[in-house]
Amino acid sequence: LDAPAGIDIDGKEIAIADFYNHRIVYSGDGLEWISFGEEGKALGQLYYPTDVQIKGNKIYVADAYNNRVQVFDKKGKALQVIGEAENMNAATGILVTESEVMITDFEHDKVHVYNHEGILMQTILSLNKPTDLILVKDSLLYITNYKGKNISVFFKQ
């Protein structure tokens, strides 16, 4: 690994965003590892991935400087791109729930909320360089603001 930027663990599964190597390192059992991705802009290629989430049979990757999220299967095949239409600038953090994909848009001071089909449902504005987010007890959304040196908290219904 060279600059691990994000990690997710689900049971024995582990996925790590390897920032400078433009790849994801994944293990389904904690023993055998694969890596996928390479530097580039095409589908399946990554450009400084910063965050990763395992959800069901998919791996979601915040592909920071390609300004999107890519969705992969657990063998590393690219399945979907989310967020390109919004012209994000640095997709740094990702949160995947049962029904939503939330992405921080660092340079535009926003969080975009999509359904799993990639359709934009909501945008949270007035942030200050958001880098990451977490949902606590399915009702409180915490968003880290890098430049603001604070955390924004939203009640989610």
Side-chain angles (χ1 to χ4, degrees), residues 72-155:
F72 295 87
D73 68 15
K74 292 185 177 173
K75 294 184 184 205
K77 178 183 176 196
L79 303 172
Q80 180 184 14
V81 172
I82 299 173
E84 283 186 321
E86 283 64 53
N87 296 312
M88 282 188 275
N89 192 348
T92 56
I94 183 170
L95 173 66
V96 182
T97 70
E98 294 300 321
S99 60
E100 299 169 324
V101 178
M102 300 180 203
I103 307 166
T104 59
D105 185 350
F106 181 79
E107 293 294 340
H108 292 147
D109 301 320
K110 303 175 186 178
V111 169
H112 298 287
V113 182
Y114 300 85
N115 65 19
H116 282 245
E117 289 73 44
I119 297 169
L120 181 65
M121 300 171 58
Q122 178 183 3
T123 299
I124 301 170
L125 303 169
S126 301
L127 300 169
N128 200 349
K129 304 294 183 223
T131 55
D132 206 0
L133 58 168
I134 188 168
L135 187 62
V136 177
K137 297 184 180 182
D138 294 328
S139 63
L140 292 175
L141 180 64
Y142 290 80
I143 302 171
T144 57
N145 289 290
Y146 172 79
K147 182 123 186 197
K149 300 178 183 176
N150 62 26
I151 296 176
S152 297
V153 182
F154 296 89
F155 181 74

Side-chain angles (χ1 to χ4, degrees), residues 50-87:
T50 53
D51 204 2
V52 62
Q53 277 228 281
I54 302 165
K55 194 67 165 178
N57 60 354
K58 297 176 180 175
I59 299 171
Y60 293 76
V61 177
D63 190 4
Y65 296 107
N66 277 333
N67 309 308
R68 64 190 181 189
V69 162
Q70 286 198 72
V71 184
F72 295 87
D73 68 15
K74 292 185 177 173
K75 294 184 184 205
K77 178 183 176 196
L79 303 172
Q80 180 184 14
V81 172
I82 299 173
E84 283 186 321
E86 283 64 53
N87 296 312

